[in-house]
Amino acid sequence: MKRDYWQRSVAVSSGMNAVILREARRPKDLRCPKRFFASLRFAQNDTLPVILNAAKDLPCSRDRFFASLRMTTLLLVATLSSGDIEAASPQLSYVLPPGVQRGHEHVLTLTGARLVDVEEALLYQSGVTVKKVEPVDPQNVRITVDVAPDCRLGEHLVQLRTRSGISDYRSFFVGALPPVDEKEPNSSFDEPQPLELNHCVAGVLQNEDADYFRIRAVKGQRLSVEVEGIRLGQAFFDPFLAILDKNRFELASVDDTVLAKQDCFLSVVIPEDGEYTILVRETSYRGADNCRYRLHVGNFPRPTVAYPAGGKRGEQVKVQFLGDGAGPIERDVVVPADPQAYHEQLVHDEQGVTPSAVPFRHFSDGNIMETEPNDAFETATAAELPLALNGRIEKPGDVDFFKLTATKGQVWEVECYARRIGSQVDPVVNIYKADKTSILGNDDARGQDSYMRWAVPEDGEYYVRINDHLGQGGDTYVYRVEMTPVAPSLKLGIPRVDRYSQTRQTIVVPRGNRYGTLILGTRADFGGPVELNSQGIIPGVSMTARPMHPSLNLMPVVFEAAADAPIEGELVDLRGKLADTNQPAVEGGFENYADFVLGEPNNAVFVSGIANKVAMAVANEVPFRLEIVQPKVPLVRSGTTNLKVLVHRNEGFDAPIYVQFPFTPPGVGAAGAITIDKGQNEGPYPLNANGDAMIGKWPMMVIGAAEIDGQAWVSSQLAELEIADRYVSFDVKRSACDQGQPAQVQCVITHNTPFEGAAKAELFGLPPGATADPVEFTHGTAEVAFQVKTTGDTPVGSHKSLFCQVSITQNGEPIVGTVGTSELQVNAPPAVVAAPPAEEAKPAEPAAAPPKPLSRLEQLRAKVLPPAEKKP
């Protein structure tokens, strides 16, 4: 394996490699270390820390290297302090080895950060039992697992629970073949690594690396090879596979596959006895320390797609598995009745089992199989709804037609599965009336698959037409069109607070404290309130939540742990249901998506994990609690208020608290966050309501974090925020005056809600130099007037910024709101009228001639001599 200079100088954690090393491999980056560090600075936050090794062979001085590194570190520290990274929460970056063999005991090393107080490993799938958890250091945990002989093959999710929180979840894979490590040198055809069939190689592709493996096979034998690379969820790279004969000619090669995306597999029949070489490399010869792969090599079946690609739950279906090198494989498949079962099928024979499953749909209704010829309206295959249409585009230019009957008013979901089940077809689906008039069609609503919702316009016969977008075809061009009545559905989740990370996607409740989160409810084809089911919540924890409002898809939920709650955790099947008993029952569960591998372009998600349970735990105590002082008055439309937030601190704890208001009712705004300063025990949280804010009583909470060896989050109680209409409304009349003159602004009052005592009204938005004193009024007052004073400097013009704000004190608290707007016209003073012309004056006497100028001597005499002494 070859190592470039960046890999010798910087070793980076999982996830960050995909961003940094992808940039560093490029020739322009080798000439420009600054560009490399720019990519480092903008790498994902949740993949820190960066671990430095020796800095060798750099195309810049060591001083420049570490100067740039220091700047990078400062930027990362700034990011940490800004709260974007959950420093108190444990972090899990990757699992090594990334795969294990079922039926054996294995030791896995889980690497991340803040793992020193680990107590438990949580697993989402059955078949793997954790026997021991051993912290190695703050970054590594060693767990011993026992993998059952019948454990499900494929991806398994794991998460760590510490006394301070719950980590991200990551994946490892379970396979059927015994493992073997890749050994160097194996980077050339002439120096391959010997390998026995039916083994799984664990290897790494470094930059410009290629790994060769030599096997022996006999004529007629099936040879299947599959690589798990990007699917391991540790790096963005694109594996390439080839099978070479003894003369180095390709027997077969593959880059990407429909089923495995950037990963790939091959299945061939050996043409003659002898040695064969398997090549695995990155497509573009890129690689890195974390470009790990698992290479399955054996005689196992490796089909690409099932036909039909699904069946009715609880029934047995005859299925052909297509794409295997030895030809189609026929099996009788019993479709699981459990709606929660995985939509997949592993293919077994006497030589082994597929390393990864073939997608297989579990459906509520039966199948109809195409009957050839059916490539025209006249020969369409007859079908009855609801059902799944199954067929193959068997040759280039092939088109399939189905004929069915539908009733006016029916609404059908038309969902075509092709690429999503491993098929090569790029389907286009069209629906026609009996007169062959096209009424609906779709190509790529679901990626490259088709989807549409069909509202039947009239009773009668209709045709469904399926073809490949590019007119291609073949044995593995399988499609499946499921047509079902529209049915309501519900999914729950936690909205992301960070685009690419799993930050605050778990529920961690400090002992004797509260934790708040938003729950996202995605409704489909129904409306109404949604409530959560509190069954299954971990011991010592209670849940407080109001039903989700019918017009919203978010609800605040507060979890509270008793002071003596056991510090433990588990994966909870959080479920919700429609709370309106007058409608048909609707229920749904939790789903959480995590981005494992991002890549070009624009950080697109290439590999993600899906968890169907929420991780919940009780954690160590934290030295502060939050409380909302329940308001005694409502927030009125077009009004403002300052919500009082209290901090209850343990003795000796005085750190600042960062507070957020995560849920706002419709029409209500809140500051993004406030900080309750060091040593302070309360702070105001500004709220405002617009003129159309939804009236009602709404749940509210604040959440807050403090630096306690990192950030620790808690929540207030679930309090109530009442939104009400304005108590009064003002019809503020327009007014005008001359610059420097007074004006009177008349206001006609409409009373909406009775109140006691006197209210104060103030006029704001006056132009510069203009003032108006507040006025008071009581319930029942019909009119008030503001006396506006202007100055000579008040700008001339129409001033449309006037608004009237009223403050009404009830129950000792103010109700403040804007009750009307208006306009003040300031005019220039009138021009001064000119005086009438005077009578015509008599001609003036001629002016006397100016005196003769004095000489210099005469000037001096006039200055120093008395008048009597002056000479004429």
Side-chain angles (χ1 to χ4, degrees):
M1 300 178 186
K2 299 180 180 180
R3 299 173 60 87
D4 65 17
Y5 70 91
W6 289 120
Q7 294 162 343
R8 289 196 298 271
S9 61
V10 180
V12 291
S13 61
S14 171
M16 199 174 226
N17 271 339
V19 178
I20 300 171
L21 293 181
R22 183 174 71 246
E23 296 300 320
R25 283 192 298 265
R26 297 174 178 173
K28 64 177 181 289
D29 296 315
L30 302 184
R31 300 190 299 270
C32 182
K34 180 179 179 181
R35 191 184 300 273
F36 169 76
F37 284 103
S39 67
L40 177 63
R41 291 168 194 160
F42 290 99
Q44 295 165 243
N45 291 338
D46 66 340
T47 56
L48 299 176
V50 177
I51 305 168
L52 291 181
N53 285 340
K56 301 177 181 178
D57 303 329
L58 296 175
C60 63
S61 69
R62 291 176 61 88
D63 290 343
R64 283 189 62 195
F65 174 84
F66 285 106
S68 185
L69 178 61
R70 281 193 296 271
M71 180 59 70
T72 299
T73 304
L74 288 174
L75 287 168
L76 297 178
V77 170
T79 303
L80 279 165
S81 63
S82 71
D84 289 338
I85 297 176
E86 295 296 315
S89 299
Q91 177 185 317
L92 179 58
S93 298
Y94 54 88
V95 180
L96 292 179
V100 295
Q101 183 187 12
R102 66 181 177 184
H104 296 272
E105 186 175 289
H106 302 272
V107 176
L108 300 174
T109 299
L110 283 64
T111 299
R114 300 173 293 278
L115 303 176
V116 68
D117 58 345
V118 65
E119 290 197 339
E120 185 180 10
L122 304 173
L123 295 168
Y124 284 81
Q125 290 85 11
S126 61
V128 180
T129 303
V130 179
K131 302 183 69 175
K132 186 188 295 185
V133 178
E134 302 173 280
V136 178
D137 53 44
Q139 288 78 40
N140 294 281
V141 172
R142 196 176 291 126
I143 66 172
T144 302
V145 296
D146 185 23
V147 186
D150 60 349
C151 178
R152 171 182 167 270
L153 298 182
E155 184 182 38
H156 288 248
L157 301 179
V158 61
Q159 212 160 4
L160 291 175
R161 181 186 65 81
T162 70
R163 293 186 67 86
S164 59
I166 300 174
S167 75
D168 323 56
Y169 66 78
R170 293 291 174 182
S171 63
F172 66 95
F173 281 67
V174 173
L177 301 179
V180 60
D181 290 335
E182 176 209 358
K183 296 179 181 178
E184 291 292 338
N186 70 337
S187 297
S188 70
F189 181 84
D190 298 323
E191 293 184 306
Q193 177 179 340
L195 181 66
E196 293 184 11
L197 286 174
N198 297 309
H199 280 77
C200 178
V201 181
V204 179
L205 287 174
Q206 298 287 356
N207 191 45
E208 299 182 5
D209 191 14
D211 292 343
Y212 292 83
F213 302 91
R214 185 71 46 82
I215 57 103
R216 292 195 63 84
V218 298
K219 182 178 180 179
Q221 189 178 33
R222 176 175 57 201
L223 174 62
S224 296
V225 182
E226 178 171 350
V227 62
E228 293 162 342
I230 195 172
R231 284 179 290 176
L232 298 180
Q234 298 189 7
F236 175 70
F237 75 113
D238 186 1
F240 169 87
L241 278 178
I243 301 174
L244 311 176
D245 65 15
K246 61 183 179 180
N247 297 315
R248 206 168 183 167
F249 288 108
E250 280 189 1
L251 194 61
S253 64
V254 63
D255 181 2
D256 300 334
T257 56
V258 175
L259 181 59
K261 305 299 189 293
Q262 279 70 30
D263 287 347
C264 47
F265 50 77
L266 290 169
S267 182
V268 299
V269 174
I270 296 298
E272 60 182 31
D273 296 356
E275 290 186 337
Y276 292 85
T277 302
I278 297 165
L279 164 65
V280 57
R281 61 172 174 83
E282 210 278 338
T283 300
S284 301
Y285 288 95
R286 299 178 176 184
D289 289 337
N290 66 338
C291 291
R292 302 180 181 93
Y293 65 84
R294 285 165 44 84
L295 182 68
H296 305 264
V297 181
N299 307 122
F300 51 82
R302 183 56 277 181
T304 62
V305 65
Y307 179 61
K312 187 175 181 179
R313 292 188 181 96
E315 292 188 355
Q316 181 171 293
V317 180
K318 187 173 291 296
V319 178
Q320 276 191 327
F321 292 94
L322 308 172
D324 183 77
I329 302 170
E330 293 192 359
R331 291 288 183 272
D332 291 327
V333 174
V334 177
V335 184
D338 182 6
Q340 303 300 319
Y342 289 94
H343 289 236
E344 62 185 25
Q345 191 68 38
L346 291 166
V347 183
H348 301 255
D349 67 10
E350 64 282 357
Q351 299 181 73
V353 58
T354 51
S356 58
V358 175
F360 190 81
R361 298 279 305 159
H362 306 163
F363 193 48
S364 56
D365 296 289
N367 288 333
I368 184 73
M369 310 297 292
E370 67 158 325
T371 303
E372 292 286 358
N374 68 334
D375 53 359
F377 288 99
E378 295 74 18
T379 57
T381 300
E384 293 183 5
L385 295 173
L387 44 64
L389 312 177
N390 296 271
R392 288 187 291 178
I393 306 299
E394 294 179 303
K395 59 185 178 181
D398 189 15
V399 177
D400 289 346
F401 283 86
F402 293 84
K403 181 172 67 175
L404 46 85
T405 301
T407 304
K408 181 179 180 179
Q410 292 178 329
V411 182
W412 297 94
E413 302 271 15
V414 183
E415 186 87 57
C416 181
Y417 292 90
R419 292 301 177 100
R420 289 175 288 175
I421 57 173
S423 170
Q424 292 181 281
V425 67
D426 180 0
V428 179
V429 179
N430 290 276
I431 297 177
Y432 298 84
K433 289 184 178 180
D435 62 3
K436 304 177 185 178
T437 302
S438 176
I439 59 173
L440 199 61
N442 183 259
D443 182 5
D444 293 336
R446 302 281 201 240
Q448 289 181 286
D449 286 352
S450 304
Y451 166 81
M452 50 193 168
R453 181 168 287 192
W454 174 35
V456 181
E458 58 189 39
D459 296 354
E461 288 187 341
Y462 294 86
Y463 294 92
V464 179
R465 177 182 186 268
I466 302 102
N467 66 285
D468 181 78
H469 178 74
L470 297 177
Q472 301 298 308
D475 288 343
T476 59
Y477 281 64
V478 173
Y479 61 84
R480 175 179 175 84
V481 182
E482 294 181 357
M483 303 185 69
T484 57
V486 172
S489 64
L490 172 67
K491 290 182 180 180
L492 302 179
I494 297 177
R496 292 193 183 186
V497 298
D498 188 5
R499 180 178 176 186
Y500 296 119
S501 79
Q502 298 178 46
T503 298
R504 301 210 315 260
Q505 297 292 294
T506 59
I507 297 170
V508 179
V509 192
R511 181 187 270 176
N513 215 316
R514 292 179 288 251
Y515 181 86
T517 188
L518 295 180
I519 295 295
L520 174 68
T522 304
R523 304 178 184 87
D525 299 301
F526 79 96
V530 172
E531 62 183 8
L532 296 183
N533 188 344
S534 62
Q535 295 180 358
I537 302 299
I538 61 177
V541 174
S542 61
M543 182 181 74
T544 304
R546 296 186 184 183
M548 183 184 298
H549 193 274
S551 66
L552 302 181
N553 63 356
L554 290 173
M555 62 190 298
V557 182
V558 172
F559 298 87
E560 185 166 5
D564 59 350
I567 296 181
E568 59 185 28
E570 61 183 78
L571 302 175
V572 175
D573 184 16
L574 185 66
R575 302 194 69 79
K577 65 178 182 180
L578 175 63
D580 185 354
T581 57
N582 295 321
Q583 298 187 57
V586 182
E587 184 174 320
F590 183 85
E591 283 188 0
N592 180 21
Y593 290 78
D595 303 332
F596 287 169
V597 179
L598 308 176
E600 297 172 341
N602 302 322
N603 277 342
V605 178
F606 280 76
V607 178
S608 60
I610 304 175
N612 57 9
K613 294 181 180 179
V614 59
M616 184 180 300
V618 175
N620 284 335
E621 299 89 342
V622 297
F624 72 100
R625 291 169 57 88
L626 292 179
E627 179 187 355
I628 292 175
V629 177
Q630 177 61 50
K632 299 177 183 178
V633 295
L635 171 63
V636 294
R637 284 177 167 175
S638 299
T640 62
T641 189
N642 283 321
L643 188 67
K644 190 174 182 180
V645 179
L646 301 181
V647 180
H648 301 286
R649 301 176 182 268
N650 288 5
E651 185 176 355
F653 176 75
D654 65 351
I657 312 294
Y658 174 79
V659 181
Q660 294 179 335
F661 193 88
F663 174 79
T664 53
V668 175
I674 66 169
T675 298
I676 299 177
D677 292 332
K678 180 177 180 179
Q680 298 299 308
N681 294 324
E682 64 180 65
Y685 209 114
L687 304 178
N688 63 82
N690 66 30
D692 296 317
M694 190 175 290
I695 293 173
K697 295 182 178 180
W698 298 89
M700 67 173 171
M701 65 181 180
V702 294
I703 59 175
E707 191 71 16
I708 308 169
D709 296 328
Q711 286 185 343
W713 286 88
V714 302
S715 168
S716 71
Q717 83 279 22
L718 197 67
E720 183 175 85
L721 177 65
E722 181 181 0
I723 308 299
D725 199 1
R726 304 173 184 88
Y727 276 38
V728 295
S729 298
F730 280 26
D731 179 10
V732 186
K733 304 300 183 180
R734 297 174 60 185
S735 184
C737 68
D738 291 339
Q739 193 178 42
Q741 299 299 312
Q744 189 177 76
V745 177
Q746 291 289 127
C747 304
V748 178
I749 304 176
T750 300
H751 292 269
N752 302 319
T753 304
F755 61 90
E756 297 178 354
K760 183 174 73 172
E762 296 180 85
L763 192 62
F764 293 98
L766 291 165
T771 60
D773 293 332
V775 297
E776 291 191 349
F777 65 96
T778 61
H779 180 66
T781 302
E783 292 186 6
V784 295
F786 292 98
Q787 305 302 323
V788 178
K789 301 173 184 178
T790 66
T791 68
D793 295 328
T794 301
V796 171
S798 178
H799 302 281
K800 301 180 180 180
S801 56
L802 273 66
F803 66 94
C804 183
Q805 189 176 82
V806 167
S807 177
I808 302 172
T809 300
Q810 299 287 278
N811 299 320
E813 297 181 4
I815 303 171
V816 180
T818 299
V819 295
T821 61
S822 189
E823 177 181 347
L824 175 65
Q825 176 70 40
V826 178
N827 299 315
V832 178
V833 179
E839 294 182 5
E840 185 175 343
K842 295 179 179 181
E845 296 287 339
K852 181 181 178 181
L854 299 177
S855 67
R856 177 63 177 162
L857 179 60
E858 290 173 333
Q859 292 176 12
L860 290 175
R861 285 175 178 172
K863 207 170 189 181
V864 299
L865 293 177
E869 298 181 6
K870 293 181 180 178
K871 294 182 178 181

